[in-house]
Amino acid sequence: MKIATWNVNSLKIRLGQVLDWLAANPVDALCLQELKLTDDKFPVAEIQAAGYHAAFAGQKTYNGVAVLSRTAPRDVVRGMPGFEDTHQRLIAVTLDSPAGDVRVLSAYCPNGQSLDSEKYPYKLGWYAALREYMVTELAQHPRLALLGDFNVAPEDRDVHDPAKWEGQVLVSPPERAALQALIDLDLSDAFRLFEQPEKSFSWWDYRQLGFRRNAGLRIDHILLSPALREVCEACIIDKEPRRNEQPSDHTPVVATLAL
């Protein structure tokens, strides 16, 4: 079973790229973030024609998440129960696998904008709510994967120039602590289960030739429960879509599970 995450930064603009990528990389589940379209505009027919089901939660202009899957999603939950939020940032589904049910969540965590922005405490509060929700989800679903754009680079090795980024969002100690609090629920960062090339990133700024200079951050992650960690055989960052014409500023992360 292969699962992947990709912040597409507008599904309307990059639908063709998503379909091309799925044709070349027929994963069992693809979590998408930043759909930037309302539910009535979601390309259901095109996704079905590619052989995938879709569970999605969109909104106009901003945010939006989805899970595309080979098998029909069940027990779909949009958002976090008990957490009031007008932003569509989380969707959870249950998928069939030969080993039994797998719970898959697609998350678009808040950016935070800047350390002195009102969006920064919102980000930390959202993370705290996500952690509480994950306690419940993990208790109910032993095989669980939380995938998405977490908008946090966990360590300095996940940042192209730590000194340049010091004092900014995505790398601040409270944000890293919030992500670590999730991982401390006995989740594992799938990418770090394996030896990886240095300077491995999943996001590059459009400005100042960020991708060409590999001036990026690793902020897109796949977090696995213990049962899935034990069967994870590989996790890679696929940089090829970032070379597309009019690409997303993110690129897919893919994990292979022996299920």
Side-chain angles (χ1 to χ4, degrees):
M1 183 179 194
K2 286 193 174 184
I3 57 175
T5 183
W6 189 2
N7 179 327
V8 292
N9 192 13
S10 176
L11 184 57
K12 179 179 179 180
I13 293 174
R14 297 184 177 88
L15 175 60
Q17 295 184 36
V18 170
L19 296 176
D20 287 347
W21 189 83
L22 285 172
N25 303 272
V27 296
D28 297 280
L30 173 60
C31 294
L32 301 177
Q33 300 86 41
E34 284 204 89
L35 305 180
K36 296 185 175 180
L37 45 73
T38 52
D39 286 351
D40 61 304
K41 301 295 185 183
F42 193 90
V44 174
E46 291 88 339
I47 297 299
Q48 290 179 341
Y52 285 84
H53 302 268
F56 48 89
Q59 67 184 87
K60 187 177 181 179
T61 308
Y62 301 106
N63 308 317
V65 287
V67 179
L68 313 185
S69 56
R70 287 290 190 186
T71 61
R74 297 181 282 109
D75 303 326
V76 178
V77 177
R78 296 169 176 82
M80 283 186 280
F83 183 77
E84 294 294 329
D85 193 2
T86 59
H87 298 169
Q88 298 294 345
R89 295 188 175 276
L90 188 69
I91 190 167
V93 305
T94 297
L95 302 177
D96 295 330
S97 85
D101 291 350
V102 177
R103 191 67 164 170
V104 174
L105 299 94
S106 178
Y108 176 47
C109 305
N111 176 278
Q113 192 172 53
S114 66
L115 301 189
D116 58 358
S117 166
E118 63 183 14
K119 296 180 180 180
Y120 185 73
Y122 161 70
K123 178 177 187 174
L124 298 180
W126 194 91
Y127 256 102
L130 177 61
R131 185 185 188 279
E132 292 305 308
Y133 179 46
M134 291 305 299
V135 170
T136 302
E137 285 287 284
L138 284 163
Q140 297 175 350
H141 306 284
R143 287 179 292 274
L144 180 148
L146 174 61
L147 306 86
D149 175 1
F150 286 76
N151 269 313
V152 178
E155 303 176 66
D156 281 354
R157 61 177 169 167
D158 301 309
V159 182
H160 71 95
D161 187 343
K164 182 178 179 180
W165 276 85
E166 188 173 357
Q168 299 188 51
V169 290
L170 312 185
V171 302
S172 71
E175 291 168 280
R176 285 177 166 176
L179 177 57
Q180 187 60 48
L182 268 181
I183 294 172
D184 287 345
L185 295 176
D186 207 7
L187 292 170
S188 296
D189 179 349
F191 190 74
R192 291 300 179 201
L193 294 175
F194 308 95
E195 283 220 21
Q196 302 289 0
E198 291 186 5
K199 302 292 185 181
S200 292
F201 308 125
S202 63
W203 171 88
W204 301 263
D205 200 318
Y206 288 126
R207 298 167 295 181
Q208 299 178 334
L209 302 176
F211 182 66
R212 186 177 300 179
R213 297 187 297 110
N214 198 29
L217 302 175
R218 190 176 73 91
I219 58 176
D220 301 272
H221 310 304
I222 298 176
L223 304 185
L224 302 176
S225 68
L228 293 187
R229 175 180 63 229
E230 292 175 4
V231 296
C232 187
E233 297 181 325
C235 186
I236 64 161
I237 295 172
D238 181 0
K239 294 172 65 173
E240 287 306 309
R242 191 58 173 81
R243 296 185 170 92
N244 290 341
E245 186 176 348
Q246 286 191 309
S248 170
D249 44 355
H250 297 252
T251 208
V253 182
V254 185
T256 303
L257 309 173
L259 293 175

